[in-house]
């Protein structure tokens, strides 16, 4: 079976290669470039919600209204080759999976149930309950009829067995009525042997119809039967009329009803359109744009269009009659012109012509011109404009003849005929008059800005470009229109004249100009969809149309409707480039960046009503809240989500759903990318979900309320909580009052203590200054007097010695004063700075006494000392150092700083003789050091023995 599928696809690829040269298509296609998972589509069906499901060789694909979703073996399907897709309208799909068999797929849960090993290659029927009737084809002509219930898909029942090789009757089944219908063979005289085994005792009726040979018939309706190669029309009450469609008995005939008859196909020779009388109206093949002849299914969409699935070509949708697309091999269509029913188009370096009533009448001519900009046709002369000038051609039979060539440096944008005179508009040198008889061009003395296009009017002509607005020229009179004169934009793309009004298409909308002024403008506010208005026209009934870069817009009532079902571009990388409208045939021809599109406006079937939107499910924090569309959400909810049913899940058209949550927003928003909209953490209050739809033809459904709900207020907004809150606030205010009052009292006490401390510090500083400076100054005065006496007694050498002592003492007083100022002038000092000050002091004092010294730091010196701590510690160090110098007879001293996070320890040791008598131990120096340490809430200790060691420990505040 797998080998057969591979061979099947190999043959399909051969057919695909045969269609690559196709130019004209009467179909719109969807392939893998449009994100269809595969171009090999075995079957297509629509479920009860309108979603389309496609069976492909890469799994089961669902179009959700925005994109294709694929379900395959990774999603627990038994296989990826989905040959049959039969939606039963009851949340289920019957799936025929190659080499695996028939399965039932439950949409809502994703449950897969095995049914039988048959994959339903041909006949099957459904009843209203979604139950499936099908045949298991056996050898020797035996066919076994079975059915499986949608509610119990695993339970398969045999209805009857039938052998057409021994029957004198044809057999048809009405599954809904549970009836077997026997149709007599007119040539049969008697039954050869029993041919029918009726296991469930279905009703068996012999009809009055007769046919010429026995067969198994499928009853399509009361007027039509079919077998694998023919259809049978009811000719009379007694007879069916056979209409052979395919030759031979090995063909498989599939049929789908159409409004005008029947679609018929056999999976290998294209698509047939047959009327209700059995006549073949049209056989669609590659020349009609059916990119693959292997049609597998035809499904009618809600909007009346027909979707066609193929093996190798993807999906197709039949265009309205008279409409077609012509491939330009993804090249821009630079210009379009018309003469009679013949349309002329320039594509790259080719001239393409076709009959507007029969796009299949396609001809193509090579052009020698380069950088072609457009085409114009006047009096059977074809003007090809380019960046080098223009050329004049004529067609004689199947030959393109070049008649003239004019080189104009700035290039020619277009050639027009006004009052039997020809004018050429250049891109930079104004307007040129062309004499066809003399084959000459002359400057017409009309200076225009750069002109992208000249266009004849009933009086004079129009010139416009994409930057400078519009110029209306009539003889020597030129009127220039820009945004200052009321145009929506200076970028003008097209001008058309209707009655006494000139309609101007611009980048920002459409403008109507009459009686010397712009009288009205139209834009998105009037319903125009698209970014730029590229072309406008009035049709043969006087209706106004606007073509934008995205959609064809029709004026209906008092606003524009965008016909989204009409494809005017091929994807986001395509857009209309040149256009023309044929009044006689009411046909719009669009040249895009990729193709030519011909649209017969009379055959456009608009959907006049829009489907009302409906909610499929509502979820709060991921859990369904049931069918109740009026509900209350708790205040602590996270997300509420609304899932909508598709209003039209046809991949060839686009309907729009707009929603507004009243209570949150006053403006409608478009539902994009998904059929679900979510709202997170709404504030407390009442809300209404209002929704409207706009179908693919621009018809609006009107506003409808789908749900109303409220979000509960949080507990902190409820009365009991507010009451507790008031009590709590009162208690808090009292607590804060009590706290701040106590704090204020503590501040007063602290201020008093600070004042006392400052007083003590002032007294201490005064004492220090008195002890150090006062004594020193008195000594200095005495020395000065002594020096004076020695000088008077001519004791010069002694006087100089005293002068040197006086100088040294003065410097020492200055240093002491500086150290005192340093200690008290700042609020705080970093410990590393204090250590540096200590080093400077020791360097000044100890070397003079031949005492070796060292300063060590154990740990990080990131702590901060207050001014008081700095002063007191420094005085302790000074006092200890003076004791070492004066009393210890030491030769070395060591100062160790050991800071921790909350404490500072300073150890001062020397190798002197220590303190050996009580008098020394009770000296004022030691007492002062201890008092200073205690004043800092610290401790002072001293140890003697082989020298003296003083230890000071004080608490410090860690640096924040």
């Amino acid at each position: 079976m797998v080998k057969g599928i591979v061979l099947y696809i190999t043959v399909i690829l051969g057919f695909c290669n045969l269609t690559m040269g196709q130019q004209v298509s009467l179909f719109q296609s969807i392939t893998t470039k449009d994100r269809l998972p595969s171009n090999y589509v075995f079957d297509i069906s629509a479920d009860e919600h309108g979603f389309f499901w496609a069976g492909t060789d890469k799994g089961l694909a669902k179009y959700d209204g925005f994109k294709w979703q694929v379900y395959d073996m990774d999603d627990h399907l038994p296989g990826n080759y989905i040959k049959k897709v039969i939606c039963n309208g009851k949340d289920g799909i019957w799936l025929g999976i190659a080499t695996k068999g028939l399965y039932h797929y439950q949409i809502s849960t994703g449950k897969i149930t095995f049914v039988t090993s048959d994959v339903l290659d041909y006949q099957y029927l459904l009843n209203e309950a979604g139950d499936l009737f099908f045949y298991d084809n056996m050898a020797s002509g035996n066919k076994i009829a079975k059915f499986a219930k949608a509610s119990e898909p695993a339970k398969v029942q045999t209805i009857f067995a039938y052998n057409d090789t021994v029957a004198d009757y044809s057999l048809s089944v009405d599954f809904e009525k549970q009836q077997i219908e026997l149709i007599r063979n007119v040539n049969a005289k008697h039954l050869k042997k029993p041919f029918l085994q009726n296991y469930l005792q279905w009703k068996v009726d012999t009809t009055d119809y007769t046919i010429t040979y026995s067969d198994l018939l499928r009853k399509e309706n009361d007027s039509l039967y079919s077998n694998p190669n023919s259809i049978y029309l009811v000719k009379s009450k007694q007879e069916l009329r056979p209409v052979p469609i395919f030759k031979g008995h090995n063909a498989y005939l599939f049929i789908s009803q159409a409004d005008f008859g029947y679609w018929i196909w056999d999976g290998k020779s294209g698509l047939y359109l047959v009327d209700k009388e059995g006549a073949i109206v049209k056989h669609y093949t590659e020349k009609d744009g059916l990119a693959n002849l292997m049609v597998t299914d035809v499904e009618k969409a809600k909007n009346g269009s027909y979707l066609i699935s193929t093996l190798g070509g993807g999906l197709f949708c039949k265009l309205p009659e008279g409409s077609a697309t012509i491939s330009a091999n993804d090249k821009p269509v630079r210009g379009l012109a018309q003469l009679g029913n013949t349309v002329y188009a320039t594509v790259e370096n080719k001239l393409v012509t076709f009959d507007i009533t029969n796009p299949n009448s396609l001809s193509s001519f090579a052009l020698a011109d380069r950088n072609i900009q457009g085409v114009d046709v006047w009096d059977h002369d074809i003007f090809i404009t380019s960046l080098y000038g223009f050329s004049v051609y004529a067609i004689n039979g199947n030959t393109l003849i070049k008649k003239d060539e004019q080189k104009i440096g700035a290039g020619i944008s277009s050639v027009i005929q006004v009052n039997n005179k020809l004018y050429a508009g250049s891109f930079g040198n104004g307007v040129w008059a062309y004499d066809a008889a003399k084959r000459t061009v002359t400057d017409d003395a009309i200076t225009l800005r750069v002109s992208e296009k000249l266009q004849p009017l009933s009086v004079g002509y129009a010139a416009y470009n994409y930057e400078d607005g519009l110029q209306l020229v009539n003889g020597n009179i030129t009127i220039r229109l820009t945004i200052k004169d009321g145009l929506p934009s200076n970028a003008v793309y097209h001008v058309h004249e209707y009655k006494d009004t000139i309609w101007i298409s611009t980048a920002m909308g459409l403008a109507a100009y009459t009686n010397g002024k712009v009288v009205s403008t139209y834009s998105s506010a009037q319903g125009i969809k698209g970014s730029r208005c590229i072309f406008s026209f009035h049709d043969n009934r006087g209706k106004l149309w606007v073509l934008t870069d995205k959609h064809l817009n029709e004026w209906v009532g008092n606003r524009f409707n965008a016909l989204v079902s009409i494809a005017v571009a091929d994807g986001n990388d395509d857009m209309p480039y040149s256009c023309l409208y044929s009044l006689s045939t009411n046909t719009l021809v669009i040249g895009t960046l990729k193709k030519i599109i011909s649209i017969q406006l009379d055959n456009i079937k608009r959907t006049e009503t829009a489907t009302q939107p409906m909610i499929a499910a509502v979820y709060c924090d991921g859990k369904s809240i049931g069918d109740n569309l009026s509900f209350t959400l708790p205040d602590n909810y996270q997300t509420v989500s609304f899932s909508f049913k598709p209003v039209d899940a046809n991949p060839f058209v686009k309907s729009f759903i707009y929603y507004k949550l009243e209570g949150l927003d006053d403006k409608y928003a478009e539902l994009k990318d998904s059929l679900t909209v979510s709202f997170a953490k709404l504030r407390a209050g009442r809300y209404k979900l209002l929704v409207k739809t706009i179908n693919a033809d621009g018809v609006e459904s009107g506003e409808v309320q789908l749900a109303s709900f409220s979000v509960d207020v949080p507990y902190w907004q409820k009365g009991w909580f507010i009451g507790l809150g008031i009590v709590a606030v009162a208690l808090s205010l009292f607590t804060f009052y009590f706290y701040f009052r106590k704090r204020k009292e503590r501040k007063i006490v602290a201020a008093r203590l600070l004042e006392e401390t400052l007083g003590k510090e002032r007294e201490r500083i005064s004492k220090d200054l008195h002890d150090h400076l006062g004594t020193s100054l008195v000594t200095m005065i005495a020395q000065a007097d002594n020096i004076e006496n020695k000088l008077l007694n001519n004791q010069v050498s002694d006087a100089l010695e005293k002068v040197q002592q006086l100088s040294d003492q003065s410097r020492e007083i200055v240093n002491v004063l500086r150290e005192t100022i340093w200690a008290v002038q700042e609020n705080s000092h970093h410990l590393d700075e204090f250590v540096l000050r200590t080093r400077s002091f020791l360097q000044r004092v100890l070397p003079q006494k031949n005492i070796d010294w060292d300063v060590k730091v154990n740990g990080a010196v990131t702590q901060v000392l207050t001014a008081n701590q700095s002063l007191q510690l420094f005085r302790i160090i000074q006092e200890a150092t003076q004791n070492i110098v004066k009393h210890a007879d030491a030769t070395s001293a060591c100062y160790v700083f050991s800071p921790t996070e909350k404490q500072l320890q300073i150890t001062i040791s020397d190798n002197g003789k220590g303190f050996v008598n009580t008098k020394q131990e009770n000296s004022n120096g030691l007492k002062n050091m201890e008092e200073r340490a205690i004043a800092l809430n610290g401790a002072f200790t001293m140890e003697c023995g082989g020298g003296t060691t003083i230890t000071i420990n004080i608490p410090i505040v860690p640096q924040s």
Side-chain angles (χ1 to χ4, degrees), residues 265-284:
W265 66 96
D266 65 347
K268 64 181 180 180
S269 58
L271 183 64
Y272 292 82
L273 177 60
V274 178
D275 66 18
K276 294 182 179 180
E277 300 300 320
I280 297 177
V281 178
K282 178 71 176 177
H283 179 202
Y284 295 99

Side-chain angles (χ1 to χ4, degrees), residues 527-529 551-554 560-565 695-698:
I528 294 178
K529 284 190 178 295
H551 303 294
L552 180 61
N553 298 264
E554 175 189 19
F560 283 96
N561 280 348
L563 302 183
V564 183
S565 58
N695 70 14
D697 294 323

Side-chain angles (χ1 to χ4, degrees), residues 116-127:
T116 179
S117 58
D118 189 77
V119 293
L120 305 185
D121 284 331
Y122 184 52
Q123 290 192 355
Y124 65 88
L125 294 170
L126 287 177
N127 63 12

Side-chain angles (χ1 to χ4, degrees), residues 162-224:
Y162 173 74
N163 191 326
D164 59 6
T165 62
V166 297
D168 290 328
Y169 285 84
S170 293
L171 183 145
S172 178
V173 177
D174 189 326
F175 186 40
E176 195 69 45
K177 296 180 180 178
Q178 297 188 356
Q179 177 177 313
I180 303 171
E181 185 177 7
L182 299 180
I183 302 172
R184 186 170 59 87
N185 186 336
V186 295
N187 298 319
K189 296 180 179 179
H190 58 275
L191 295 177
K192 295 178 182 178
K193 62 175 68 173
F195 62 92
L196 177 65
Q197 296 178 349
N198 190 355
Y199 294 103
L200 295 185
Q201 303 304 311
W202 277 18
K203 183 179 179 181
V204 179
D205 283 338
T206 303
T207 69
D208 293 331
Y209 301 135
T210 58
I211 57 175
T212 56
Y213 63 91
S214 301
D215 202 353
L216 180 64
L217 299 184
R218 181 168 58 186
K219 187 173 183 179
E220 305 291 347
N221 54 46
D222 291 337
S223 302
L224 180 71

Side-chain angles (χ1 to χ4, degrees), residues 828-869:
S828 62
H829 302 89
H830 284 276
L831 182 56
D832 56 350
E833 182 184 358
F834 183 85
V835 173
L836 288 176
R837 282 284 180 177
T838 301
R839 289 179 184 273
S840 298
F841 167 72
L842 297 177
Q843 177 67 33
R844 191 177 72 248
V845 174
L846 295 180
Q848 297 178 5
K849 303 298 181 180
N850 296 319
I851 299 175
D852 294 331
W853 61 276
D854 189 17
V855 175
K856 297 180 181 180
V857 178
N858 296 328
V861 285
T862 58
Q863 290 79 358
V864 175
L865 301 176
T866 66
N868 185 39
Q869 288 174 326

Side-chain angles (χ1 to χ4, degrees), residues 150-402:
S151 58
E152 299 178 281
K155 185 178 180 181
V156 179
Q157 292 181 293
T158 299
I159 305 171
F160 60 84
Y162 173 74
N163 191 326
D164 59 6
T165 62
V166 297
D168 290 328
Y169 285 84
S170 293
L171 183 145
S172 178
V173 177
D174 189 326
F175 186 40
E176 195 69 45
K177 296 180 180 178
Q178 297 188 356
Q179 177 177 313
I180 303 171
E181 185 177 7
L182 299 180
I183 302 172
R184 186 170 59 87
N185 186 336
V186 295
N187 298 319
K189 296 180 179 179
H190 58 275
L191 295 177
K192 295 178 182 178
K193 62 175 68 173
F195 62 92
L196 177 65
Q197 296 178 349
N198 190 355
Y199 294 103
L200 295 185
Q201 303 304 311
W202 277 18
K203 183 179 179 181
V204 179
D205 283 338
T206 303
T207 69
D208 293 331
Y209 301 135
T210 58
I211 57 175
T212 56
Y213 63 91
S214 301
D215 202 353
L216 180 64
L217 299 184
R218 181 168 58 186
K219 187 173 183 179
E220 305 291 347
N221 54 46
D222 291 337
S223 302
L224 180 71
Y225 295 76
S226 68
N227 72 2
N229 72 318
S230 303
I231 62 173
Y232 291 82
L233 301 174
V234 176
K235 184 177 180 182
S236 67
K237 292 183 178 180
Q238 289 78 32
E239 188 175 358
L240 296 175
R241 178 169 63 90
V243 179
I245 303 297
F246 307 116
K247 294 181 180 180
H249 291 278
N250 60 345
Y252 284 87
L253 182 148
F254 297 89
I255 189 166
S256 177
Q257 293 192 40
D259 296 334
F260 33 71
Y262 309 99
W263 293 108
I264 295 176
W265 66 96
D266 65 347
K268 64 181 180 180
S269 58
L271 183 64
Y272 292 82
L273 177 60
V274 178
D275 66 18
K276 294 182 179 180
E277 300 300 320
I280 297 177
V281 178
K282 178 71 176 177
H283 179 202
Y284 295 99
T285 61
E286 297 102 323
K287 67 183 180 65
D288 304 297
L290 199 60
N292 194 285
L293 295 179
M294 292 188 172
V295 175
T296 57
D297 196 11
V298 178
E299 186 83 10
K300 186 176 182 180
K302 285 183 178 181
N303 68 340
S305 61
Y306 291 92
L307 274 62
I308 303 154
S309 58
T310 69
L311 282 181
L315 293 176
F316 293 86
C317 180
K318 177 68 177 64
L319 295 174
E321 287 300 310
S323 301
T325 60
I326 300 173
S327 171
N329 295 322
D330 289 343
K331 304 296 183 182
V333 181
R334 294 289 183 181
L336 290 170
Q338 182 183 2
L339 180 64
N341 281 344
T342 302
V343 175
Y344 301 81
T346 51
V347 181
E348 202 173 31
N349 59 346
K350 292 181 181 180
L351 175 67
V352 177
T353 68
F354 60 92
D355 190 316
I356 199 169
T357 63
N358 180 20
N360 278 309
S361 58
L362 194 67
S363 299
S364 178
F365 305 91
L367 296 170
D369 304 80
R370 293 180 299 159
N371 295 111
I372 294 172
Q373 297 301 302
V375 59
D376 297 289
V377 181
W378 304 105
D379 296 331
H380 299 282
D381 284 337
I382 305 168
F383 294 84
I384 303 297
T385 59
S386 72
L387 294 180
Y388 300 96
F390 66 88
S391 300
V392 185
Y393 293 87
I395 296 177
N396 185 4
N398 295 324
T399 305
L400 184 67
I401 302 171
K402 191 171 188 178

Side-chain angles (χ1 to χ4, degrees), residues 530-652:
S531 302
R532 288 171 281 182
C533 294
I534 294 175
F535 188 77
S536 64
F537 63 95
H538 283 77
D539 65 15
N540 56 14
R541 298 179 182 177
K543 180 174 290 187
L544 176 61
W545 299 75
V546 173
L547 177 69
T548 68
D549 57 340
K550 298 295 184 184
H551 303 294
L552 180 61
N553 298 264
E554 175 189 19
W555 182 259
V556 179
N558 60 354
R559 64 183 289 107
F560 283 96
N561 280 348
L563 302 183
V564 183
S565 58
I566 305 297
V568 299
D570 184 11
N572 293 328
D573 58 344
D574 192 19
M575 64 172 287
Y577 190 88
S578 53
C579 309
L580 68 82
Y581 168 70
S582 172
L583 187 67
S584 60
T585 61
N586 199 26
T587 301
L588 174 66
V589 182
I590 305 169
T592 78
L593 298 177
K594 294 184 176 183
K595 62 179 65 174
I596 301 171
I597 303 170
S598 177
I599 303 171
Q600 219 297 316
L601 299 179
D602 287 335
N603 292 325
I604 294 176
K605 293 183 179 179
R606 302 169 184 81
T607 304
E608 301 297 340
T609 58
T611 304
Q612 290 283 355
M614 297 180 65
I615 288 180
V618 183
Y619 300 93
C620 178
D621 295 339
K623 296 181 180 179
S624 174
I625 63 173
D627 298 330
N628 184 12
L629 298 179
S630 179
F631 52 89
T632 300
L633 298 174
D635 66 282
N636 62 344
Y637 93 100
Q638 297 298 311
T639 304
V640 60
S641 302
F642 298 88
S643 294
F644 297 94
K645 295 181 179 179
V647 295
D648 192 350
N650 184 347
F652 288 93

